[in-house]
Protein backbone atom coordinates (compact mmCIF):
# COMPACT_ATOMS: atom_id res chain seq x y z
CA UNK A 1 0.00 0.00 0.00
CA UNK A 2 1.17 3.54 -0.67
CA UNK A 3 1.48 6.05 2.16
CA UNK A 4 -1.74 7.75 1.02
CA UNK A 5 -3.75 4.57 1.36
CA UNK A 6 -2.69 3.77 4.89
CA UNK A 7 -5.47 4.21 7.43
CA UNK A 8 -3.52 5.73 10.29
CA UNK A 9 -6.50 6.06 12.59
CA UNK A 10 -7.28 2.37 12.23
CA UNK A 11 -3.64 1.44 12.78
CA UNK A 12 -3.39 3.57 15.89
CA UNK A 13 -6.67 2.35 17.32
CA UNK A 14 -5.72 -1.25 16.72
CA UNK A 15 -2.34 -0.85 18.38
CA UNK A 16 -3.82 1.00 21.38
CA UNK A 17 -6.44 -1.72 21.82
CA UNK A 18 -3.76 -4.39 21.61
CA UNK A 19 -1.71 -2.51 24.22
CA UNK A 20 -4.64 -2.49 26.62
CA UNK A 21 -5.23 -6.17 26.06
CA UNK A 22 -1.60 -6.95 26.78
CA UNK A 23 -1.60 -4.85 29.96
CA UNK A 24 -4.62 -6.79 31.18
CA UNK A 25 -2.78 -10.07 30.62
CA UNK A 26 0.31 -8.99 32.48
CA UNK A 27 1.12 -10.49 35.84
CA UNK A 28 -0.01 -8.42 38.79
CA UNK A 29 3.48 -8.63 40.28
CA UNK A 30 4.84 -6.46 37.51
CA UNK A 31 5.32 -2.79 38.29
CA UNK A 32 2.06 -1.21 37.16
CA UNK A 33 3.52 1.56 35.07
CA UNK A 34 1.10 2.66 32.36
CA UNK A 35 2.57 1.77 29.01
CA UNK A 36 3.34 4.48 26.51
CA UNK A 37 3.18 4.20 22.75
CA UNK A 38 5.93 5.82 20.74
CA UNK A 39 4.82 5.98 17.10
CA UNK A 40 7.93 5.43 15.01
CA UNK A 41 7.59 7.62 11.93
CA UNK A 42 10.98 7.08 10.27
CA UNK A 43 10.91 7.31 6.45
CA UNK A 44 7.29 8.48 6.63
CA UNK A 45 6.17 11.97 5.57
CA UNK A 46 5.16 14.83 7.86
CA UNK A 47 1.56 14.57 6.61
CA UNK A 48 1.25 11.14 8.23
CA UNK A 49 2.65 12.42 11.52
CA UNK A 50 0.16 15.26 11.50
CA UNK A 51 -2.67 12.76 10.95
CA UNK A 52 -1.59 10.59 13.84
CA UNK A 53 -1.22 13.71 16.00
CA UNK A 54 -4.73 14.79 15.13
CA UNK A 55 -5.98 11.40 16.30
CA UNK A 56 -4.40 12.09 19.67
CA UNK A 57 -0.93 10.53 19.37
CA UNK A 58 1.74 12.70 21.02
CA UNK A 59 4.92 10.61 21.27
CA UNK A 60 6.84 9.99 18.05
CA UNK A 61 10.17 8.30 17.42
CA UNK A 62 12.89 8.76 14.83
CA UNK A 63 16.25 7.07 14.51
CA UNK A 64 18.19 9.53 12.34
CA UNK A 65 19.07 12.98 13.64
CA UNK A 66 18.80 14.69 10.26
CA UNK A 67 15.38 13.23 9.61
CA UNK A 68 14.09 14.11 13.07
CA UNK A 69 15.44 17.67 12.81
CA UNK A 70 13.96 18.17 9.37
CA UNK A 71 10.52 16.94 10.42
CA UNK A 72 10.57 18.72 13.77
CA UNK A 73 11.37 22.02 12.02
CA UNK A 74 8.87 21.68 9.22
CA UNK A 75 6.44 24.64 9.25
CA UNK A 76 3.40 22.36 8.95
CA UNK A 77 4.38 20.33 11.97
CA UNK A 78 5.37 23.39 14.01
CA UNK A 79 1.99 24.87 13.24
CA UNK A 80 -0.22 21.83 13.78
CA UNK A 81 1.62 19.71 16.34
CA UNK A 82 2.63 22.12 19.06
CA UNK A 83 2.64 19.50 21.81
CA UNK A 84 4.54 16.80 19.93
CA UNK A 85 7.05 14.79 21.95
CA UNK A 86 9.97 13.43 19.98
CA UNK A 87 11.92 10.39 21.10
CA UNK A 88 15.31 9.84 19.56
CA UNK A 89 15.81 6.08 19.22
CA UNK A 90 18.83 5.75 16.92
CA UNK A 91 22.57 5.70 17.35
CA UNK A 92 23.69 9.18 18.33
CA UNK A 93 27.03 10.49 17.10
CA UNK A 94 28.76 13.28 18.98
CA UNK A 95 28.82 15.58 15.96
CA UNK A 96 25.02 15.44 15.71
CA UNK A 97 24.24 16.30 19.32
CA UNK A 98 23.61 20.00 18.78
CA UNK A 99 21.37 19.39 15.82
CA UNK A 100 19.31 16.94 17.84
CA UNK A 101 19.11 19.09 20.97
CA UNK A 102 18.03 22.07 18.91
CA UNK A 103 15.09 20.21 17.37
CA UNK A 104 11.76 21.64 18.58
CA UNK A 105 9.76 19.21 20.68
CA UNK A 106 12.66 16.91 21.57
CA UNK A 107 11.36 15.01 24.58
CA UNK A 108 13.70 12.12 25.21
CA UNK A 109 16.87 10.42 24.02
CA UNK A 110 16.42 6.68 24.52
CA UNK A 111 19.86 5.65 23.35
CA UNK A 112 22.52 6.80 25.80
CA UNK A 113 25.33 4.28 25.51
CA UNK A 114 28.38 5.87 27.16
CA UNK A 115 29.54 8.25 29.88
CA UNK A 116 31.05 10.39 27.21
CA UNK A 117 27.82 10.78 25.26
CA UNK A 118 25.92 11.55 28.47
CA UNK A 119 28.53 14.18 29.43
CA UNK A 120 28.33 15.85 26.04
CA UNK A 121 24.56 16.03 26.04
CA UNK A 122 24.53 17.22 29.64
CA UNK A 123 26.95 20.01 28.77
CA UNK A 124 25.03 21.20 25.70
CA UNK A 125 21.46 20.94 27.01
CA UNK A 126 21.39 24.28 28.91
CA UNK A 127 21.73 26.07 25.56
CA UNK A 128 18.51 24.52 24.31
CA UNK A 129 16.33 23.77 27.30
CA UNK A 130 12.98 25.40 27.81
CA UNK A 131 11.03 25.89 31.04
CA UNK A 132 13.99 24.73 33.12
CA UNK A 133 13.32 21.13 32.18
CA UNK A 134 16.01 18.51 32.30
CA UNK A 135 16.31 16.32 29.24
CA UNK A 136 14.85 12.86 29.70
CA UNK A 137 17.18 10.02 28.82
CA UNK A 138 17.20 6.25 28.76
CA UNK A 139 20.22 4.01 28.83
CA UNK A 140 20.34 1.60 25.91
CA UNK A 141 21.60 -1.86 26.78
CA UNK A 142 22.95 -4.26 24.20
CA UNK A 143 21.06 -7.27 25.50
CA UNK A 144 21.71 -9.50 22.49
CA UNK A 145 25.49 -8.99 22.49
CA UNK A 146 25.46 -8.47 18.72
CA UNK A 147 28.31 -6.23 17.51
CA UNK A 148 26.00 -4.36 15.16
CA UNK A 149 23.64 -3.27 17.95
CA UNK A 150 24.66 -0.28 19.95
CA UNK A 151 24.12 0.10 23.63
CA UNK A 152 26.19 -0.39 26.73
CA UNK A 153 27.27 -3.87 27.77
CA UNK A 154 24.99 -5.18 30.51
CA UNK A 155 27.81 -5.24 33.07
CA UNK A 156 28.26 -1.50 32.62
CA UNK A 157 24.59 -0.55 32.94
CA UNK A 158 24.69 0.26 36.65
CA UNK A 159 27.83 2.31 36.26
CA UNK A 160 26.36 4.35 33.40
CA UNK A 161 23.09 5.01 35.20
CA UNK A 162 25.03 6.01 38.31
CA UNK A 163 27.18 8.33 36.23
CA UNK A 164 24.08 10.05 34.84
CA UNK A 165 22.49 10.39 38.27
CA UNK A 166 25.63 11.77 39.90
CA UNK A 167 27.32 13.76 37.18
CA UNK A 168 24.70 14.93 34.71
CA UNK A 169 22.44 17.42 36.52
CA UNK A 170 20.80 18.52 33.25
CA UNK A 171 19.60 15.02 32.46
CA UNK A 172 16.73 13.06 33.98
CA UNK A 173 17.19 9.30 34.02
CA UNK A 174 13.95 7.64 32.91
CA UNK A 175 14.72 4.01 32.20
CA UNK A 176 16.37 1.30 30.15
CA UNK A 177 15.94 0.52 26.48
CA UNK A 178 16.84 -2.37 24.22
CA UNK A 179 16.38 -3.23 20.58
CA UNK A 180 17.38 -6.87 20.81
CA UNK A 181 17.61 -9.54 18.21
CA UNK A 182 15.38 -9.08 15.15
CA UNK A 183 12.93 -11.76 14.12
CA UNK A 184 12.88 -13.71 17.37
CA UNK A 185 10.16 -16.36 17.22
CA UNK A 186 8.10 -16.22 20.41
CA UNK A 187 6.81 -19.74 19.92
CA UNK A 188 10.29 -20.58 21.26
CA UNK A 189 9.34 -19.00 24.60
CA UNK A 190 9.76 -15.59 26.18
CA UNK A 191 12.04 -13.26 24.26
CA UNK A 192 15.46 -13.48 25.96
CA UNK A 193 16.26 -9.81 25.28
CA UNK A 194 13.11 -8.72 27.09
CA UNK A 195 13.83 -11.08 29.98
CA UNK A 196 17.34 -9.68 30.24
CA UNK A 197 16.24 -6.05 30.22
CA UNK A 198 13.72 -6.86 32.94
CA UNK A 199 16.46 -8.51 34.97
CA UNK A 200 18.93 -5.65 34.46
CA UNK A 201 16.40 -3.17 35.76
CA UNK A 202 16.17 -5.20 38.97
CA UNK A 203 19.93 -5.18 39.32
CA UNK A 204 20.37 -1.51 38.54
CA UNK A 205 17.60 -0.57 40.98
CA UNK A 206 19.05 -2.77 43.70
CA UNK A 207 22.59 -1.50 43.18
CA UNK A 208 21.57 2.14 43.17
CA UNK A 209 18.65 1.95 45.54
CA UNK A 210 16.11 3.17 42.99
CA UNK A 211 12.37 2.56 43.05
CA UNK A 212 11.67 -0.06 40.38
CA UNK A 213 8.26 1.49 39.73
CA UNK A 214 9.97 4.67 38.62
CA UNK A 215 12.25 3.07 36.06
CA UNK A 216 10.79 2.47 32.61
CA UNK A 217 11.55 -0.31 30.16
CA UNK A 218 11.44 0.56 26.47
CA UNK A 219 11.21 -2.65 24.48
CA UNK A 220 9.01 -4.14 21.78
CA UNK A 221 8.26 -3.12 18.19
CA UNK A 222 5.52 -3.94 15.66
CA UNK A 223 6.05 -7.69 15.65
CA UNK A 224 6.33 -8.16 19.39
CA UNK A 225 5.05 -5.18 21.41
CA UNK A 226 2.21 -7.13 23.02
CA UNK A 227 4.63 -9.80 24.13
CA UNK A 228 6.96 -7.07 25.41
CA UNK A 229 4.19 -5.50 27.47
CA UNK A 230 3.29 -8.85 28.97
CA UNK A 231 6.93 -9.07 29.96
CA UNK A 232 6.94 -5.65 31.58
CA UNK A 233 7.57 -3.08 28.85
CA UNK A 234 6.40 0.40 29.84
CA UNK A 235 7.25 2.00 26.51
CA UNK A 236 6.78 0.31 23.15
CA UNK A 237 8.06 1.68 19.87
CA UNK A 238 5.75 0.82 17.00
CA UNK A 239 6.21 1.92 13.41
CA UNK A 240 4.93 -0.27 10.58
CA UNK A 241 1.70 -1.32 12.33
CA UNK A 242 0.68 2.32 12.38
CA UNK A 243 2.29 3.88 9.31
CA UNK A 244 2.59 0.85 7.04
CA UNK A 245 5.68 -1.03 5.97
CA UNK A 246 8.74 0.93 4.98
CA UNK A 247 10.32 0.70 1.58
CA UNK A 248 14.06 0.21 2.03
CA UNK A 249 15.98 3.38 1.15
C1 LIG B 1 12.25 1.29 13.39
C2 LIG B 1 12.35 1.11 14.84
C3 LIG B 1 11.25 0.69 15.59
C4 LIG B 1 9.89 0.36 15.01
O1 LIG B 1 9.95 -0.70 14.11
P1 LIG B 1 8.60 -1.38 13.52
O2 LIG B 1 9.02 -2.78 13.29
O3 LIG B 1 8.29 -0.65 12.26
O4 LIG B 1 7.56 -1.25 14.53
C5 LIG B 1 11.42 0.55 16.95
N1 LIG B 1 12.59 0.82 17.56
C6 LIG B 1 13.67 1.24 16.88
C7 LIG B 1 14.93 1.51 17.60
C8 LIG B 1 13.59 1.39 15.49
O5 LIG B 1 14.67 1.81 14.83
Amino acid sequence: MSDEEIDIMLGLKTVLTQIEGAVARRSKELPQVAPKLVAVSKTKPVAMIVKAYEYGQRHFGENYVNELAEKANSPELLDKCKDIKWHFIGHLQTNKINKLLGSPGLHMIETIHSDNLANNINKQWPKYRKNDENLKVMVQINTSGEDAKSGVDPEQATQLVEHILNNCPNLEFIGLMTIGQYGYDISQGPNPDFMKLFQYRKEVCKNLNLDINQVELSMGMSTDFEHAIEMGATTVRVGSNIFGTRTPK
Side-chain angles (χ1 to χ4, degrees):
M1 261 194 284
S2 71
D3 285 350
E4 290 73 35
E5 289 167 317
I6 299 288
D7 187 341
I8 293 176
M9 178 160 70
L10 179 64
L12 260 180
K13 264 193 185 162
T14 307
V15 170
L16 290 169
T17 308
Q18 287 168 322
I19 288 176
E20 280 186 26
V23 172
R25 287 192 299 275
R26 130 167 133 173
S27 140
K28 293 292 168 266
E29 280 104 74
L30 287 176
Q32 298 296 309
V33 186
K36 181 185 299 146
L37 171 63
V38 175
V40 179
S41 49
K42 63 190 187 203
T43 80
K44 299 296 179 180
V46 163
M48 293 180 95
I49 298 172
V50 172
K51 261 194 194 156
Y53 184 94
E54 286 170 349
Y55 293 132
Q57 180 63 27
R58 290 294 176 269
H59 294 264
F60 291 84
E62 289 283 341
N63 66 340
Y64 288 108
V65 172
N66 289 347
E67 191 175 344
L68 188 152
E70 198 177 306
K71 289 175 178 171
N73 283 296
S74 84
E76 189 186 0
L77 210 136
L78 286 171
D79 179 42
K80 295 182 175 159
C81 309
K82 296 200 186 329
D83 187 34
I84 196 165
K85 299 177 194 317
W86 287 110
H87 291 233
F88 184 72
I89 58 175
H91 184 77
L92 182 53
Q93 289 159 320
T94 310
N95 62 353
K96 294 279 173 69
I97 290 177
N98 281 287
K99 190 165 198 182
L100 179 62
L101 298 187
S103 300
L106 178 69
H107 176 73
M108 192 188 297
I109 298 176
E110 296 200 13
T111 47
I112 304 294
H113 54 76
S114 71
D115 288 10
N116 202 14
L117 182 63
N119 291 344
N120 275 311
I121 298 170
N122 178 63
K123 191 164 149 213
Q124 301 301 326
W125 183 241
K127 284 198 282 187
Y128 302 99
R129 81 160 106 221
K130 299 208 174 69
N131 312 321
D132 264 353
E133 276 180 47
N134 290 338
L135 181 64
K136 296 176 170 46
V137 296
M138 290 194 185
V139 164
Q140 181 180 5
I141 303 187
N142 185 356
T143 51
S144 57
E146 294 163 278
D147 288 344
K149 296 273 157 61
S150 64
V152 71
D153 286 338
E155 309 79 62
Q156 283 147 25
T158 294
Q159 185 278 325
L160 178 50
V161 173
E162 188 172 27
H163 177 81
I164 293 170
L165 293 172
N166 292 340
N167 304 296
C168 301
N170 302 317
L171 306 184
E172 179 184 357
F173 170 70
I174 294 293
L176 306 176
M177 179 271 204
T178 187
I179 295 179
Q181 195 190 348
Y182 291 120
Y184 175 78
D185 172 9
I186 61 170
S187 71
Q188 306 295 303
N191 184 318
D193 289 301
F194 300 168
M195 283 203 290
K196 285 182 199 162
L197 198 67
F198 189 79
Q199 198 54 40
Y200 299 145
R201 175 175 60 179
K202 272 193 201 155
E203 283 171 29
V204 167
C205 289
K206 185 162 151 270
N207 293 338
L208 301 176
N209 204 9
L210 302 175
D211 178 359
I212 208 163
N213 293 297
Q214 302 293 329
V215 177
E216 294 207 28
L217 294 183
S218 173
M219 58 190 196
M221 326 206 301
S222 284
T223 52
D224 53 14
F225 68 94
E226 295 171 271
H227 179 61
I229 288 174
E230 287 173 35
M231 297 187 64
T234 66
T235 295
V236 291
R237 311 176 305 265
V238 179
S240 359
N241 284 19
I242 299 168
F243 299 110
T245 50
R246 292 176 293 273
T247 34
K249 276 189 180 166

